[in-house]
Amino acid sequence: MPCTDLDGLAGSPEVCEVGGGGLILPLFGDSEQQWDNTLRVILYLVGLLWCFLGVAIIADVFMGAIEKITSKKVRVFDKQMSKARTVTVWNPTVANLTLMALGSSAPEILLNVIAVFPTFQSSDLGPSTIVGSAAFNLLCISAVCVLAIPNGE
């Protein structure tokens, strides 16, 4: 999409042209514009893959910790059977789906955080995107999770 189609940016150069720039890219300023495009593509792809690898490692560690927390068990005394039995503290389905609902809100939150930076004012997307998405994710998805649990669990 050309920069002339963006509000307030008519006539300004694109990120990939000399004098153009975004929040982060180009990393090395206008001197980067004179590099071979193939080299720039390779460097940015390596950087992108490195970021994906970092996210994968963090997500793996995070999910391992969540599994440990949600698999916690306690011993309770059953009065009807007159003996102790082991029960899970968390219902794993509800715990994992609640985390999925929270995780699915992350793109909207990050999008709005990035949109705030140039002017430190609310973007066109605004906080209503976050609030609406979070409300749906936390209320509707959690309600479906609760309804899906069989009676007695």
Side-chain angles (χ1 to χ4, degrees):
M1 170 171 72
C3 286
T4 55
D5 292 341
L6 300 175
D7 294 334
L9 295 177
S12 62
E14 293 188 25
V15 173
C16 59
E17 296 174 350
V18 176
L23 288 175
I24 298 172
L25 301 177
L27 290 173
F28 302 104
D30 284 340
S31 64
E32 182 182 320
Q33 307 299 342
Q34 297 169 10
W35 297 357
D36 182 40
N37 279 341
T38 306
L39 174 66
R40 292 173 63 196
V41 167
I42 291 170
L43 288 176
Y44 282 123
L45 284 176
V46 167
L48 185 66
L49 292 174
W50 183 71
C51 289
F52 280 140
L53 180 64
V55 169
I57 292 169
I58 291 169
D60 190 38
V61 169
F62 178 73
M63 286 310 295
I66 293 302
E67 283 184 27
K68 184 160 180 79
I69 291 169
T70 57
S71 66
K72 183 178 179 183
K73 296 181 179 187
V74 294
R75 303 238 341 135
V76 295
F77 184 76
D78 190 352
K79 294 179 182 178
Q80 293 176 348
M81 298 177 64
S82 298
K83 58 182 174 179
R85 64 185 185 122
T86 305
V87 296
T88 56
V89 175
W90 295 86
N91 182 314
T93 304
V94 173
N96 289 329
L97 289 175
T98 302
L99 287 170
M100 183 184 72
L102 289 171
S104 66
S105 297
E108 290 93 6
I109 293 169
L110 291 176
L111 178 68
N112 280 289
V113 166
I114 290 171
V116 162
F117 273 111
T119 60
F120 288 102
Q121 294 179 354
S122 178
S123 66
D124 291 339
L125 295 174
S128 59
T129 304
I130 296 173
V131 173
S133 174
F136 177 80
N137 289 339
L138 292 174
L139 299 175
C140 294
I141 294 175
S142 298
V144 169
C145 292
V146 170
L147 292 173
I149 298 173
N151 290 337
E153 280 192 32

